[in-house]
Amino acid sequence: MLKYIYITTGSISLSLGILGIVTPGIPTTPFLLLTAYLYAKSSPRLYQKLIDHKVTGKYIKRVNTGLSVKARIISIAIMWCMVCFTAFVIFGNETMRYVMLGLGGIGTIAQL
């Protein structure tokens, strides 16, 4: 019985993960990791299909390998563009500018 609950919950999680690929704001990787865990507990065949799939396998394998240096540089550059836009265009208050720049620094350290 527990096996079928894991498969059903994993399939719901997989649906949300696939929806997150095309919908901004819905996380993809956490749902796919949850799916991988649930499928591994219930059905090795479904787990292997998930890992071997060209779309979902890419997200799951990225957790083990991490981002490449080029991807990190691009990610940090985009993040800083958004931080600077928010700090200097959106906020007129000087205190909030410093807060945004500080958050950008924290984000950079977290990505590195």
Side-chain angles (χ1 to χ4, degrees), residues 52-102:
D52 291 340
H53 194 271
K54 67 178 183 177
V55 176
T56 58
K58 177 180 70 171
Y59 285 96
I60 295 170
K61 290 174 186 168
R62 188 182 309 153
V63 172
N64 292 333
T65 60
L67 291 175
S68 67
V69 174
K70 180 180 176 182
R72 286 181 194 206
I73 291 172
I74 291 170
S75 175
I76 290 172
I78 291 171
M79 180 193 69
W80 273 105
C81 288
M82 293 293 102
V83 166
C84 289
F85 175 77
T86 304
F88 297 109
V89 176
I90 303 297
F91 290 124
N93 186 351
E94 194 168 317
T95 304
M96 286 306 294
R97 286 185 182 152
Y98 291 127
V99 168
M100 283 304 301
L101 294 173

Side-chain angles (χ1 to χ4, degrees), residues 1-96:
M1 182 68 179
L2 194 58
K3 174 182 177 177
Y4 297 112
I5 293 172
Y6 282 159
I7 290 174
T8 303
T9 309
S11 298
I12 292 169
S13 175
L14 177 62
S15 301
L16 290 171
I18 290 173
L19 185 64
I21 293 173
V22 296
T23 307
I26 298 177
T28 300
T29 306
F31 285 120
L32 293 180
L33 289 175
L34 177 61
T35 302
Y37 173 77
L38 293 170
Y39 281 177
K41 297 282 278 183
S42 62
S43 171
R45 184 179 61 85
L46 286 174
Y47 174 74
Q48 196 59 43
K49 285 178 83 170
L50 182 73
I51 295 298
D52 291 340
H53 194 271
K54 67 178 183 177
V55 176
T56 58
K58 177 180 70 171
Y59 285 96
I60 295 170
K61 290 174 186 168
R62 188 182 309 153
V63 172
N64 292 333
T65 60
L67 291 175
S68 67
V69 174
K70 180 180 176 182
R72 286 181 194 206
I73 291 172
I74 291 170
S75 175
I76 290 172
I78 291 171
M79 180 193 69
W80 273 105
C81 288
M82 293 293 102
V83 166
C84 289
F85 175 77
T86 304
F88 297 109
V89 176
I90 303 297
F91 290 124
N93 186 351
E94 194 168 317
T95 304
M96 286 306 294

